[in-house]
């Protein structure tokens, strides 16, 4: 009944609603999504950021999944239509009642109310799966570590925190590989920034050398101009490159052995532009367990630059629309 | 970012979507909502009807509610904004991930996917609480038994099925009374049909006399013309009446001791108009436990008449909008 839809619209009203800036952090299991997110939340403060994980949209609990012919990575194993619906609602500034998957017990729990703060960070396996979900984001990130490194991270996390044995984790990784290839990795093409923490190819660095960071800065969003500050630097630099599909792209390299002096240069170039009080906090670059990564810190600074820039545009639009 | 909302809209598309006919069945605890609903679902068939209970939108589980200064009837004790959101989504033909409250354990469980069928029956304590929720319905019913009768029903159900003792139920009813008055009963004013099963006032019928039905048929929706079939009948009749606020209203009376002959007249007048195959099923008027009520059966027939009539209008509108 169109007249009913009109009645509903009349009740919802036309008042402009404050909408959040939304960032997707997509990537395979143990690709570093939560580590990347934590530094953003800690720097902006939990009051300004709502962080959700879309793996909560699992359709089945762990027991129910066992006899199924696909893994938790498969779109059919998730309520992706509801995920899309909830992303749309959040993007429009509405609260949602989000499902909750408990990684500890493997069970689906009672849902929780999520109201979008100024920023919404959406991490998970499939946030960039569909055109509709992608349309909900202002900034899209894909975490793309080399597979052998990600496998190592997953083994460590799942044995230390989730009670699995190493051979179980490796078997699960093998079982998931076809679905990783089919559903997770294609999201790389939809990202504005592809983040890769890895050893530098072709170098035979000794074990324990910190990983370097390579960030593909695709021209799908406007990136800050770092060329001046980085001109002539050896361990932090931007180079014009070709993307895997041949399209031109800027590649920001932060070497794992970059000197504190050179990374400090980048921090000092970006931080004042953010308009945040004080000095860059120690949570930037925090890997947990007392370890730090300069490439991670600079990646997080760059994402903060994008988030705060988008928020400024957003506030201006809201102010213009409000009488 | 308005451009983001436009991107989202472009992805959701403009194709007309089949929308369900929605009926609200509001009323206090143990007012007979589920009994009324069951006959509708059984007659139309579960494939054509989605029945939900909005008491599932409880914000707290039973333990969490104990120290709170209000009962489950209070709007603040429920996610009413999410209920409104979900009713809007259903009204527009979208699925929802509905929260689930387990009356047995008093706990909130994992949510469940609900896709709207051709008809959506929404029963519960507060479906007509707000203007926005009311706008989502094509037909709104309020169940209005006399309080002493409802208390008796609640004592019986909660002692037999939910493991309470009678004095516990009576204490809970006293505790809830202010909130019943403040939040439940005001919904009566928003109903298109007010249904009251009660003894006939002023008569001293012996115990065990079946309850009569009085249906206020408000002119907010178009009711079938029963005057011809009921003309001159004594135990089933329509009378012009005044509503509690003085406005004119038709009142359909079905006496509890109506003869089978007279109620059959009404059935035969309404049933063929519904376009359903066969004879009126035995589920109409079923009170459970092998007991039946003719006034309930006729109430359900009248609601089916409204539901199927609204569906016809709906189908015509959908056909007109589809190329």
């Amino acid at each position: 009944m169109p007249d009913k839809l009109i009645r509903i619209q009349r009740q919802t009203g036309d008042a402009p609603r404050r909408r959040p800036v939304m960032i997707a952090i997509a990537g395979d299991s143990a690709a570093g999504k939560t580590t990347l997110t934590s530094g953003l939340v800690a720097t902006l403060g939990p009051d300004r950021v709502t962080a959700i994980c879309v793996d909560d949209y699992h359709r089945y609990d762990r027991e129910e999944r066992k006899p199924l012919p696909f893994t938790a990575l498969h779109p059919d194993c998730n309520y992706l239509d509801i995920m899309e619906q909830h992303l749309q609602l959040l993007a429009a500034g509405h609260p949602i009642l989000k499902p909750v998957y408990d990684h500890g017990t493997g069970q689906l729990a009672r849902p929780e109310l999520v109201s979008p703060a100024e920023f919404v960070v959406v991490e998970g396996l499939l946030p960039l799966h569909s055109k509709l979900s992608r349309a909900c984001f202002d900034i899209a990130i894909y975490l793309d570590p080399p597979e052998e490194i990600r496998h190592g991270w997953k083994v460590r996390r799942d044995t230390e925190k989730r009670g699995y044995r190493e051979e179980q984790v490796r078997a699960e990784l093998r079982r998931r590989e076809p679905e990783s290839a089919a559903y997770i990795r294609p999201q790389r093409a939809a990202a504005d920034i592809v983040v890769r923490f890895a050893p530098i190819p072709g170098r035979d660095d000794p074990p324990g050398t910190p990983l370097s960071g390579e960030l593909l800065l695709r021209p799908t969003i406007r990136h800050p101009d770092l060329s001046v500050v980085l001109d002539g630097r050896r361990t932090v630099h931007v180079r014009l490159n070709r993307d895997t599909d041949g399209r031109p792209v800027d590649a920001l390299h932060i070497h794992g052995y970059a000197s504190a002096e050179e990374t400090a240069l980048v921090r000092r170039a970006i931080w004042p532009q953010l308009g945040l009080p004080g000095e860059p906090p120690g949570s930037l670059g925090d890997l947990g367990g007392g370890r730090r990564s300069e490439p991670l810190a600079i990646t997080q600074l760059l994402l903060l630059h994008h988030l705060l820039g988008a928020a400024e545009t957003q506030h201006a639009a809201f102010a213009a629309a409000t009488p």
Side-chain angles (χ1 to χ4, degrees), chain A:
Chain A
M1 265 128 268
D3 61 333
K4 188 168 77 173
L5 293 190
I6 289 163
R7 270 194 291 148
I8 292 173
Q9 272 166 18
R10 285 187 47 176
Q11 294 307 329
T12 52
D14 296 325
R17 184 178 270 269
R18 205 176 274 279
R19 289 190 295 268
V21 172
M22 299 207 4
I23 183 171
I25 299 183
D28 214 332
S29 186
K33 304 183 290 288
T34 307
T35 305
L36 181 58
T37 300
S38 305
L40 303 179
V41 175
T43 307
L44 292 167
D47 288 354
R48 296 183 75 183
V49 191
T50 305
I52 67 168
C53 175
V54 287
D55 303 348
D56 280 322
Y57 291 81
H58 281 341
R59 191 183 286 262
Y60 309 104
D61 66 22
R62 199 176 288 152
E63 272 310 304
E64 291 164 344
R65 277 204 305 273
K66 279 185 183 162
L68 297 177
F70 43 68
T71 78
L73 270 54
H74 198 286
D76 291 351
C77 209
N78 294 274
Y79 288 123
L80 288 189
D81 49 349
I82 299 292
M83 178 192 83
E84 288 171 352
Q85 182 186 88
H86 285 191
L87 292 176
Q88 288 173 73
L89 286 163
L90 291 171
H94 295 281
I96 57 167
L97 199 58
K98 188 185 65 61
V100 172
Y101 178 79
D102 183 332
H103 279 284
T105 63
Q107 293 192 320
L108 290 153
R110 69 192 260 185
E112 64 185 10
L113 188 72
V114 173
S115 297
E118 193 181 350
F119 302 97
V120 175
V121 183
V122 178
E123 55 145 312
L125 295 167
L126 295 167
L128 301 174
H129 179 70
S130 70
K131 273 194 175 179
L132 178 51
S133 69
R134 293 197 289 271
C136 297
F137 293 105
D138 301 284
I139 308 151
I141 311 299
Y142 183 79
L143 279 172
D144 187 35
E147 280 293 89
E148 64 276 19
I149 291 194
R150 181 177 75 81
H151 288 196
W153 289 344
K154 184 161 171 69
V155 165
R156 196 168 65 200
R157 183 192 66 190
D158 288 3
T159 54
E160 288 176 6
K161 296 197 182 152
R162 298 188 182 169
Y164 291 95
R165 280 171 292 113
E166 172 162 356
E167 58 273 26
Q168 285 179 306
V169 183
R170 300 240 176 238
E172 180 64 17
L173 280 165
R174 280 191 297 276
R175 206 165 77 88
R176 288 180 171 205
E177 168 51 28
E179 290 171 19
S180 284
Y183 305 112
I184 308 298
R185 299 205 284 271
Q187 295 176 103
R188 184 182 186 280
D192 300 305
I193 303 180
V194 178
V195 178
R196 185 179 185 86
F197 296 113
I200 299 171
R203 287 178 61 112
D204 199 16
D205 285 324
T209 304
L211 297 178
S212 296
E214 181 189 74
L215 279 66
L216 292 189
L217 309 177
R218 291 194 173 128
T220 45
I221 56 173
R222 187 157 181 78
H223 301 282
D225 183 3
L226 295 172
S227 57
V228 179
V229 63
L230 295 177
D231 190 40
R233 299 288 156 185
R234 278 190 51 249
T235 56
V236 188
H237 54 76
V238 176
R239 290 216 179 115
L240 197 57
N241 219 324
R242 286 209 180 274
D243 213 335
T244 34
D245 63 359
R247 282 188 292 186
V249 69
D250 269 328
L252 169 65
H253 288 270
I254 312 127
H255 288 203
Y257 51 83
S259 70
E261 182 208 348
E262 293 208 335
T263 59
L265 258 181
V266 186
R267 288 175 183 237
R268 280 202 299 270
I270 300 178
W271 181 258
Q273 295 181 33
L274 302 186
L276 294 171
E279 291 292 307
S283 46
L284 290 177
D286 186 6
L287 289 171
R291 293 167 307 124
R292 293 187 44 74
S293 156
E294 282 306 309
L296 174 63
I298 289 174
T299 302
Q300 287 166 329
L301 271 174
L302 190 74
L303 299 190
L304 288 166
H305 186 277
H306 279 293
L307 286 169
L308 289 156
E312 220 167 277
T313 314
Q314 177 74 296
H315 291 171
F318 183 75
T322 318

